[in-house]
Amino acid sequence: INAEYGDSLGQTFHFSFTMLRILCSLLLLLGAADSVTFQLRKRNGTLVSNHTSYDTVFGSVIVNNSSLLCPPAAGGNYSHDLLNVICRESGFVGAVLSARSHRVVNSNSRVSCQWAWNMTYVSVQADCPSNPVHWGECDWGDINYEKQHCNIDDTLVVQCTNRRYNLTGFEILANPNGELSGNLTSTWGTPLAIVYDNKMDRTFRSVIRHHGYAYDYGYELEYLRWSICKHIFGPNTYMRSGYSSYTKSYTKSYTKSYTKRHEEVGYQNKLSCGYMMENDVSAVITSIQCNSRRDDPTKCEFQYSSHSFYAFEFDDAINFRCTDI
């Protein structure tokens, strides 16, 4: 009986010890996950946060307050979702485009060599869901603190933004022959801004409001037309000026108007309501201001509605005539 009791006690002890090891392993894993933190720093270690007057800022990625982040080639898989997590942990709306390397970023936008002299280099493995808000939504693999095949020149610098929307491109589309084909074959068309929503992590297209400018001399609207047309059709696109100067009575006198409101353009020379409904075109960009005819329109200052995805009537949208063909 004593032998049987001893065997039973031994089995119980072995089972308890095994469960204790499993529990310890789980605690270690949870502890490792809890230890994953990200910060953005620049210059001599200045912390980068969303408390800034700038729309977008750069910063070197600091992992667990001790290590610089190596690029994916050194073992990490850095999706845009992970970059969003890094930026959102610092209070920003999200990340802009892809990360850059330390070597190509201005010295004011990343940590200095002197400040980072004794830091280690790490790579991380993370499986994040679409558009994560917090690092806890991601499944984290091991953080490799062993010596990586990268140095400070290769480490990642992330661009984060406080702005919800960014312009990434433009199209000019129309309804040739009354069909909702979205191909520009006429001389007129509806310019659409291709917009990236940093908060929702998605891309959409928006018309541009006609009455969103201070057209004191007509040049602001003309700068926008030239910038968008040449951005789409090439810098050598033949264009004529679409406005004349003020008359002596200080009233606007357009000899040829190459910009009109949506309702002023014929059906075949613009995108119809049906096309915009079927293709989920929004009306969120309320104005874009370029400073010259040669500007890249994706870099021009713009305003958007923070209250409604459909901020104005589509009849108020801009329509352009780009060429005289």
Side-chain angles (χ1 to χ4, degrees):
I1 296 175
N2 290 338
E4 292 178 357
Y5 176 77
D7 291 342
S8 176
L9 183 63
Q11 291 174 0
T12 302
F13 177 78
H14 178 73
F15 175 77
S16 300
F17 182 72
T18 301
M19 292 302 296
L20 181 61
R21 289 182 61 187
I22 294 174
L23 180 60
C24 289
S25 297
L26 289 173
L27 290 175
L28 286 173
L29 288 175
L30 290 174
D34 288 341
S35 67
V36 180
T37 62
F38 295 102
Q39 292 179 332
L40 298 178
R41 294 186 180 273
K42 63 181 181 179
R43 305 185 72 176
N44 292 321
T46 302
L47 187 66
V48 178
S49 70
N50 66 328
H51 300 295
T52 173
S53 60
Y54 298 101
D55 286 326
T56 61
V57 295
F58 287 91
S60 296
V61 181
I62 309 298
V63 182
N64 290 348
N65 204 34
S66 62
S67 305
L68 292 165
L69 187 60
C70 289
N77 58 332
Y78 308 139
S79 64
H80 190 259
D81 290 319
L82 176 57
L83 299 182
N84 273 335
V85 167
I86 292 173
C87 289
R88 289 167 182 172
E89 285 294 307
S90 295
F92 294 94
V93 172
V96 180
L97 303 178
S98 58
R100 303 184 184 184
S101 62
H102 183 279
R103 63 163 60 87
V104 300
V105 177
N106 184 281
S107 60
N108 291 324
S109 300
R110 38 80 168 167
V111 295
S112 68
C113 184
Q114 290 84 353
W115 184 83
W117 192 263
N118 292 318
M119 298 194 77
T120 57
Y121 308 105
V122 302
S123 62
V124 300
Q125 297 286 341
D127 182 14
C128 296
S130 177
N131 197 31
V133 176
H134 186 262
W135 65 265
E137 299 178 49
C138 302
D139 292 327
W140 297 92
D142 293 333
I143 299 180
N144 189 349
Y145 284 98
E146 297 179 2
K147 185 174 178 60
Q148 297 298 304
H149 297 292
C150 85
N151 59 33
I152 190 171
D153 294 338
D154 302 317
T155 56
L156 296 190
V157 177
V158 176
Q159 184 181 12
C160 301
T161 182
N162 284 319
R163 174 175 278 181
R164 176 167 180 176
Y165 300 113
N166 287 91
L167 301 178
T168 60
F170 289 88
E171 297 174 320
I172 295 183
L173 306 179
N175 296 315
N177 302 319
E179 299 176 359
L180 303 182
S181 64
N183 295 314
L184 180 64
T185 59
S186 65
T187 58
W188 282 89
T190 304
L192 298 181
I194 302 173
V195 186
Y196 176 69
D197 185 339
N198 291 290
K199 183 176 181 179
M200 302 305 295
D201 193 22
R202 71 185 188 94
T203 298
F204 63 92
R205 295 184 294 176
S206 172
V207 294
I208 306 164
R209 190 176 188 176
H210 189 284
H211 298 295
Y213 305 82
Y215 299 135
D216 292 338
Y217 296 99
Y219 60 80
E220 291 182 354
L221 187 56
E222 188 71 351
Y223 288 168
L224 179 62
R225 181 178 73 91
W226 277 65
S227 296
I228 291 179
C229 290
K230 288 184 174 291
H231 177 81
I232 295 172
F233 299 110
N236 297 322
T237 301
Y238 176 73
M239 297 181 65
R240 291 182 179 178
S241 178
Y243 71 95
S244 64
S245 61
Y246 270 69
T247 62
K248 292 182 179 180
S249 62
Y250 295 100
T251 59
K252 288 181 181 178
S253 174
Y254 286 88
T255 56
K256 279 190 176 182
S257 177
Y258 289 158
T259 304
K260 294 183 179 181
R261 294 177 66 244
H262 199 69
E263 66 176 1
E264 298 172 336
V265 181
Y267 175 79
Q268 294 187 2
N269 295 324
K270 64 182 179 182
L271 283 184
S272 68
C273 179
Y275 179 93
M276 289 189 282
M277 291 176 63
E278 289 185 359
N279 292 274
D280 197 26
V281 177
S282 80
V284 71
I285 301 300
T286 56
S287 70
I288 304 176
Q289 184 174 352
C290 298
N291 295 319
S292 78
R293 296 177 176 182
R294 296 176 296 276
D295 282 358
D296 177 352
T298 65
K299 307 299 183 185
C300 295
E301 289 297 319
F302 69 97
Q303 300 294 324
Y304 61 89
S305 171
S306 59
H307 304 292
S308 174
F309 200 62
Y310 298 96
F312 55 90
E313 293 292 335
F314 282 95
D315 284 343
D316 290 332
I318 286 176
N319 284 266
F320 286 157
R321 181 179 180 178
C322 281
T323 67
D324 282 330
I325 58 173

mmCIF file of all heavy atoms in Angstrom, residues 8 17 28 30 46 56 59 87 94 102-104 116 123 131 139 152 165 168 238 258 263 294 305 313 323:
data_model
loop_
_atom_site.group_PDB
_atom_site.id
_atom_site.type_symbol
_atom_site.label_atom_id
_atom_site.label_comp_id
_atom_site.label_asym_id
_atom_site.label_seq_id
_atom_site.Cartn_x
_atom_site.Cartn_y
_atom_site.Cartn_z
ATOM 1 N N SER A 8 1.710 6.953 -6.601
ATOM 2 C CA SER A 8 0.667 7.953 -6.869
ATOM 3 C C SER A 8 1.160 9.350 -6.545
ATOM 4 O O SER A 8 0.930 10.307 -7.289
ATOM 5 C CB SER A 8 -0.587 7.624 -6.052
ATOM 6 O OG SER A 8 -1.575 8.623 -6.233
ATOM 7 N N PHE A 17 4.580 19.412 -11.528
ATOM 8 C CA PHE A 17 5.803 20.037 -12.022
ATOM 9 C C PHE A 17 5.685 20.383 -13.505
ATOM 10 O O PHE A 17 6.113 21.456 -13.951
ATOM 11 C CB PHE A 17 6.987 19.106 -11.786
ATOM 12 C CG PHE A 17 8.304 19.691 -12.221
ATOM 13 C CD1 PHE A 17 8.899 20.711 -11.502
ATOM 14 C CD2 PHE A 17 8.934 19.218 -13.372
ATOM 15 C CE1 PHE A 17 10.107 21.258 -11.903
ATOM 16 C CE2 PHE A 17 10.135 19.760 -13.792
ATOM 17 C CZ PHE A 17 10.721 20.785 -13.050
ATOM 18 N N LEU A 28 6.350 33.638 -19.310
ATOM 19 C CA LEU A 28 7.498 34.201 -20.019
ATOM 20 C C LEU A 28 7.079 34.776 -21.356
ATOM 21 O O LEU A 28 7.531 35.852 -21.766
ATOM 22 C CB LEU A 28 8.579 33.129 -20.205
ATOM 23 C CG LEU A 28 9.387 32.754 -18.958
ATOM 24 C CD1 LEU A 28 10.296 31.566 -19.263
ATOM 25 C CD2 LEU A 28 10.206 33.949 -18.479
ATOM 26 N N LEU A 30 4.059 35.820 -22.174
ATOM 27 C CA LEU A 30 3.286 37.023 -21.930
ATOM 28 C C LEU A 30 4.188 38.174 -21.526
ATOM 29 O O LEU A 30 3.994 39.319 -21.944
ATOM 30 C CB LEU A 30 2.243 36.758 -20.845
ATOM 31 C CG LEU A 30 1.083 35.833 -21.222
ATOM 32 C CD1 LEU A 30 0.211 35.545 -20.004
ATOM 33 C CD2 LEU A 30 0.247 36.443 -22.335
ATOM 34 N N THR A 46 15.658 63.058 -28.722
ATOM 35 C CA THR A 46 14.398 63.763 -28.501
ATOM 36 C C THR A 46 13.224 62.869 -28.876
ATOM 37 O O THR A 46 13.179 62.311 -29.971
ATOM 38 C CB THR A 46 14.338 65.053 -29.331
ATOM 39 O OG1 THR A 46 15.444 65.885 -28.980
ATOM 40 C CG2 THR A 46 13.034 65.800 -29.079
ATOM 41 N N THR A 56 3.252 65.905 -40.684
ATOM 42 C CA THR A 56 4.002 64.654 -40.751
ATOM 43 C C THR A 56 5.387 64.857 -40.157
ATOM 44 O O THR A 56 5.994 65.914 -40.308
ATOM 45 C CB THR A 56 4.147 64.147 -42.199
ATOM 46 O OG1 THR A 56 4.852 65.123 -42.975
ATOM 47 C CG2 THR A 56 2.784 63.890 -42.819
ATOM 48 N N GLY A 59 11.010 59.854 -37.536
ATOM 49 C CA GLY A 59 11.705 59.471 -36.320
ATOM 50 C C GLY A 59 12.306 58.085 -36.450
ATOM 51 O O GLY A 59 11.739 57.210 -37.120
ATOM 52 N N CYS A 87 3.566 54.009 -35.309
ATOM 53 C CA CYS A 87 3.166 55.417 -35.269
ATOM 54 C C CYS A 87 2.042 55.649 -34.264
ATOM 55 O O CYS A 87 2.040 56.642 -33.529
ATOM 56 C CB CYS A 87 2.728 55.880 -36.660
ATOM 57 S SG CYS A 87 4.088 56.044 -37.853
ATOM 58 N N GLY A 94 -1.362 57.555 -38.165
ATOM 59 C CA GLY A 94 -0.830 56.383 -38.847
ATOM 60 C C GLY A 94 0.486 56.682 -39.529
ATOM 61 O O GLY A 94 1.058 57.773 -39.386
ATOM 62 N N HIS A 102 18.129 54.992 -42.288
ATOM 63 C CA HIS A 102 18.811 56.081 -41.586
ATOM 64 C C HIS A 102 19.700 56.891 -42.525
ATOM 65 O O HIS A 102 19.786 58.117 -42.420
ATOM 66 C CB HIS A 102 19.647 55.457 -40.457
ATOM 67 C CG HIS A 102 20.359 56.431 -39.581
ATOM 68 N ND1 HIS A 102 21.558 57.012 -39.930
ATOM 69 C CD2 HIS A 102 20.050 56.919 -38.353
ATOM 70 C CE1 HIS A 102 21.963 57.806 -38.971
ATOM 71 N NE2 HIS A 102 21.067 57.770 -37.999
ATOM 72 N N ARG A 103 20.321 56.232 -43.480
ATOM 73 C CA ARG A 103 21.322 56.895 -44.319
ATOM 74 C C ARG A 103 20.728 57.945 -45.262
ATOM 75 O O ARG A 103 21.445 58.852 -45.698
ATOM 76 C CB ARG A 103 22.098 55.863 -45.137
ATOM 77 C CG ARG A 103 21.255 55.078 -46.127
ATOM 78 C CD ARG A 103 22.144 54.381 -47.171
ATOM 79 N NE ARG A 103 23.075 53.462 -46.567
ATOM 80 C CZ ARG A 103 22.830 52.192 -46.289
ATOM 81 N NH1 ARG A 103 21.610 51.698 -46.559
ATOM 82 N NH2 ARG A 103 23.728 51.418 -45.758
ATOM 83 N N VAL A 104 19.436 57.820 -45.617
ATOM 84 C CA VAL A 104 18.868 58.719 -46.618
ATOM 85 C C VAL A 104 17.982 59.798 -46.011
ATOM 86 O O VAL A 104 17.454 60.638 -46.734
ATOM 87 C CB VAL A 104 18.056 57.931 -47.663
ATOM 88 C CG1 VAL A 104 18.929 56.924 -48.387
ATOM 89 C CG2 VAL A 104 16.850 57.238 -47.034
ATOM 90 N N ALA A 116 23.285 57.242 -30.563
ATOM 91 C CA ALA A 116 22.980 55.816 -30.718
ATOM 92 C C ALA A 116 24.221 54.929 -30.660
ATOM 93 O O ALA A 116 24.148 53.738 -30.978
ATOM 94 C CB ALA A 116 22.247 55.593 -32.038
ATOM 95 N N SER A 123 15.682 42.806 -34.851
ATOM 96 C CA SER A 123 14.596 42.620 -35.813
ATOM 97 C C SER A 123 13.424 42.016 -35.055
ATOM 98 O O SER A 123 13.610 41.366 -34.028
ATOM 99 C CB SER A 123 15.015 41.705 -36.965
ATOM 100 O OG SER A 123 15.348 40.422 -36.475
ATOM 101 N N ASN A 131 -5.211 47.097 -40.328
ATOM 102 C CA ASN A 131 -5.470 48.372 -39.661
ATOM 103 C C ASN A 131 -5.517 48.257 -38.129
ATOM 104 O O ASN A 131 -6.492 48.652 -37.500
ATOM 105 C CB ASN A 131 -6.789 48.978 -40.173
ATOM 106 C CG ASN A 131 -6.905 50.453 -39.833
ATOM 107 O OD1 ASN A 131 -5.909 51.163 -39.748
ATOM 108 N ND2 ASN A 131 -8.123 50.916 -39.622
ATOM 109 N N ASP A 139 0.241 39.445 -33.202
ATOM 110 C CA ASP A 139 0.909 38.273 -32.648
ATOM 111 C C ASP A 139 2.414 38.448 -32.855
ATOM 112 O O ASP A 139 2.877 38.572 -33.991
ATOM 113 C CB ASP A 139 0.422 36.995 -33.335
ATOM 114 C CG ASP A 139 -1.031 36.689 -33.005
ATOM 115 O OD1 ASP A 139 -1.457 37.003 -31.887
ATOM 116 O OD2 ASP A 139 -1.735 36.152 -33.882
ATOM 117 N N ILE A 152 23.766 51.088 -38.098
ATOM 118 C CA ILE A 152 22.886 52.237 -37.945
ATOM 119 C C ILE A 152 22.458 52.817 -39.288
ATOM 120 O O ILE A 152 21.357 53.365 -39.426
ATOM 121 C CB ILE A 152 23.543 53.320 -37.058
ATOM 122 C CG1 ILE A 152 22.517 54.403 -36.693
ATOM 123 C CG2 ILE A 152 24.781 53.895 -37.728
ATOM 124 C CD1 ILE A 152 23.012 55.383 -35.664
ATOM 125 N N TYR A 165 -5.855 62.343 -44.096
ATOM 126 C CA TYR A 165 -5.830 62.063 -45.528
ATOM 127 C C TYR A 165 -4.536 62.553 -46.171
ATOM 128 O O TYR A 165 -4.000 63.599 -45.792
ATOM 129 C CB TYR A 165 -7.018 62.735 -46.242
ATOM 130 C CG TYR A 165 -8.368 62.285 -45.742
ATOM 131 C CD1 TYR A 165 -9.205 63.162 -45.054
ATOM 132 C CD2 TYR A 165 -8.809 60.979 -45.945
ATOM 133 C CE1 TYR A 165 -10.450 62.749 -44.593
ATOM 134 C CE2 TYR A 165 -10.046 60.568 -45.493
ATOM 135 C CZ TYR A 165 -10.859 61.455 -44.817
ATOM 136 O OH TYR A 165 -12.082 61.035 -44.355
ATOM 137 N N THR A 168 -2.260 60.952 -53.063
ATOM 138 C CA THR A 168 -1.257 60.057 -53.653
ATOM 139 C C THR A 168 -1.257 60.080 -55.168
ATOM 140 O O THR A 168 -0.361 59.524 -55.788
ATOM 141 C CB THR A 168 -1.476 58.611 -53.179
ATOM 142 O OG1 THR A 168 -2.770 58.163 -53.579
ATOM 143 C CG2 THR A 168 -1.370 58.525 -51.659
ATOM 144 N N TYR A 238 0.524 70.139 -74.144
ATOM 145 C CA TYR A 238 0.239 71.486 -74.661
ATOM 146 C C TYR A 238 -1.002 72.028 -73.967
ATOM 147 O O TYR A 238 -2.070 71.416 -73.988
ATOM 148 C CB TYR A 238 0.022 71.462 -76.171
ATOM 149 C CG TYR A 238 -0.381 72.812 -76.738
ATOM 150 C CD1 TYR A 238 0.549 73.843 -76.843
ATOM 151 C CD2 TYR A 238 -1.694 73.048 -77.127
ATOM 152 C CE1 TYR A 238 0.182 75.071 -77.342
ATOM 153 C CE2 TYR A 238 -2.070 74.285 -77.634
ATOM 154 C CZ TYR A 238 -1.130 75.292 -77.738
ATOM 155 O OH TYR A 238 -1.494 76.517 -78.221
ATOM 156 N N TYR A 258 -11.455 77.214 -68.933
ATOM 157 C CA TYR A 258 -11.106 75.809 -69.019
ATOM 158 C C TYR A 258 -11.408 75.088 -67.705
ATOM 159 O O TYR A 258 -10.988 73.959 -67.502
ATOM 160 C CB TYR A 258 -9.626 75.649 -69.362
ATOM 161 C CG TYR A 258 -9.299 76.038 -70.784
ATOM 162 C CD1 TYR A 258 -8.009 76.384 -71.146
ATOM 163 C CD2 TYR A 258 -10.280 76.055 -71.770
ATOM 164 C CE1 TYR A 258 -7.692 76.737 -72.458
ATOM 165 C CE2 TYR A 258 -9.977 76.411 -73.068
ATOM 166 C CZ TYR A 258 -8.682 76.753 -73.404
ATOM 167 O OH TYR A 258 -8.394 77.096 -74.701
ATOM 168 N N GLU A 263 -22.090 70.873 -62.896
ATOM 169 C CA GLU A 263 -23.399 70.998 -63.533
ATOM 170 C C GLU A 263 -23.342 71.810 -64.823
ATOM 171 O O GLU A 263 -24.295 71.792 -65.613
ATOM 172 C CB GLU A 263 -24.401 71.640 -62.572
ATOM 173 C CG GLU A 263 -24.086 73.083 -62.206
ATOM 174 C CD GLU A 263 -25.167 73.696 -61.335
ATOM 175 O OE1 GLU A 263 -26.136 72.975 -61.011
ATOM 176 O OE2 GLU A 263 -25.045 74.889 -60.993
ATOM 177 N N ARG A 294 3.853 74.552 -62.140
ATOM 178 C CA ARG A 294 4.791 73.428 -62.208
ATOM 179 C C ARG A 294 4.779 72.573 -60.944
ATOM 180 O O ARG A 294 5.578 71.662 -60.800
ATOM 181 C CB ARG A 294 6.204 73.948 -62.469
ATOM 182 C CG ARG A 294 6.360 74.650 -63.811
ATOM 183 C CD ARG A 294 7.749 75.230 -63.972
ATOM 184 N NE ARG A 294 7.999 76.273 -62.973
ATOM 185 C CZ ARG A 294 7.627 77.532 -63.101
ATOM 186 N NH1 ARG A 294 6.985 77.913 -64.192
ATOM 187 N NH2 ARG A 294 7.890 78.414 -62.146
ATOM 188 N N SER A 305 -12.851 67.631 -45.459
ATOM 189 C CA SER A 305 -13.890 67.657 -44.444
ATOM 190 C C SER A 305 -13.605 66.596 -43.394
ATOM 191 O O SER A 305 -13.449 65.418 -43.720
ATOM 192 C CB SER A 305 -15.261 67.411 -45.070
ATOM 193 O OG SER A 305 -16.239 67.228 -44.065
ATOM 194 N N GLU A 313 -22.181 69.157 -52.398
ATOM 195 C CA GLU A 313 -22.915 68.609 -53.534
ATOM 196 C C GLU A 313 -21.963 68.314 -54.686
ATOM 197 O O GLU A 313 -21.048 69.089 -54.974
ATOM 198 C CB GLU A 313 -23.990 69.606 -53.991
ATOM 199 C CG GLU A 313 -25.118 69.823 -52.993
ATOM 200 C CD GLU A 313 -25.983 68.590 -52.850
ATOM 201 O OE1 GLU A 313 -26.024 67.777 -53.797
ATOM 202 O OE2 GLU A 313 -26.606 68.439 -51.778
ATOM 203 N N THR A 323 -6.475 70.061 -72.688
ATOM 204 C CA THR A 323 -5.814 70.342 -73.960
ATOM 205 C C THR A 323 -6.819 70.868 -74.975
ATOM 206 O O THR A 323 -8.028 70.880 -74.756
ATOM 207 C CB THR A 323 -5.166 69.072 -74.533
ATOM 208 O OG1 THR A 323 -6.208 68.155 -74.901
ATOM 209 C CG2 THR A 323 -4.246 68.429 -73.519
#
